[in-house]
Amino acid sequence: MPRNSDFISEAVSPALVAALRATYALPWCGTHGAPHWLRVRENGLQLAKLTGADPVVVELFAVIHDIKRLNEGHDHGHGPRAAVWAQTAVRALLPLDAHALDKLAYACATHTHGLTEAEVTVQTCWDADRLDLYRVGIMPDPARLCTKAARSPEILRSAVDRSTMPPERR
Ligand SMILES: [Fe+2]
């Protein structure tokens, strides 16, 4: 099970981790819970080195995009709710200027819409999430990924491996 310390970085403060813990309504280690967030973060940080995305936005997207889910299935409002949560409840805990906060909010609000065109930090966030689809048995489809980096066989393979690894080896 991920520990609080696994999340803490320059982007993610202990206070933000406490807010994540207090807010997430679903099982902490469920399909859309903390182990998924850590894999999305790893995917995103690997991609950011190749795409030039803002790594702070990418890390915050990883821990926030599913935070307001109310079920593990089709919860159509969870992205917009996560965006509002970032802009209000935890705004003071996010080391972002207004422009970067807009990117985070947009990436969260629309991450389930299947879009591929956007500014590169937003694209990198969406790809980081889509690259973890194999955890539910869905092979990430290169045609649905936004960036050339995410479509590379090496990145795809490492993400799929991560999705299937037991937690202690992630
Ligand atoms: Fe997700």
Side-chain angles (χ1 to χ4, degrees):
M1 175 180 294
R3 296 157 299 179
N4 286 7
S5 58
D6 293 335
F7 293 93
I8 292 166
S9 67
E10 287 190 18
V12 180
S13 64
L16 180 58
V17 176
L20 295 168
R21 285 264 186 197
T23 300
Y24 195 54
L26 299 175
W28 186 245
C29 289
T31 303
H32 296 92
H36 168 59
W37 307 344
L38 289 175
R39 292 191 299 270
V40 174
R41 178 174 72 177
E42 183 60 31
N43 292 341
L45 291 178
Q46 282 193 9
L47 287 175
K49 289 181 197 152
L50 302 168
T51 65
D54 180 338
V56 176
V57 172
V58 166
E59 262 198 82
L60 291 169
F61 171 84
V63 298
I64 289 174
H65 72 284
D66 281 331
I67 189 68
K68 295 296 279 183
R69 268 189 170 272
L70 298 175
N71 65 59
E72 302 276 24
H74 294 288
D75 177 355
H76 292 297
H78 79 277
R81 290 196 300 272
V84 170
W85 189 76
Q87 291 166 313
T88 56
V90 291
R91 171 66 186 100
L93 304 178
L94 308 182
L96 301 175
D97 63 23
H99 185 55
L101 180 66
D102 284 347
K103 291 182 192 178
L104 173 66
Y106 180 70
C108 288
T110 58
H111 77 274
T112 59
H113 293 189
L115 301 171
T116 55
E117 294 298 327
E119 182 278 337
V120 72
T121 292
V122 173
Q123 288 181 309
T124 301
C125 291
W126 292 339
D127 278 352
D129 188 32
R130 290 170 199 175
L131 282 171
D132 195 37
L133 275 171
Y134 199 68
R135 76 191 190 285
V136 290
I138 299 170
M139 185 61 74
D141 178 355
R144 293 176 187 233
L145 296 171
C146 311
T147 64
K148 189 175 167 210
R151 291 189 291 271
S152 82
E154 295 77 19
I155 290 279
L156 266 170
R157 172 50 54 196
S158 78
V160 167
D161 285 350
R162 193 172 300 111
S163 295
T164 57
M165 245 180 245
E168 64 276 12
R169 293 186 48 228
R170 275 174 198 147

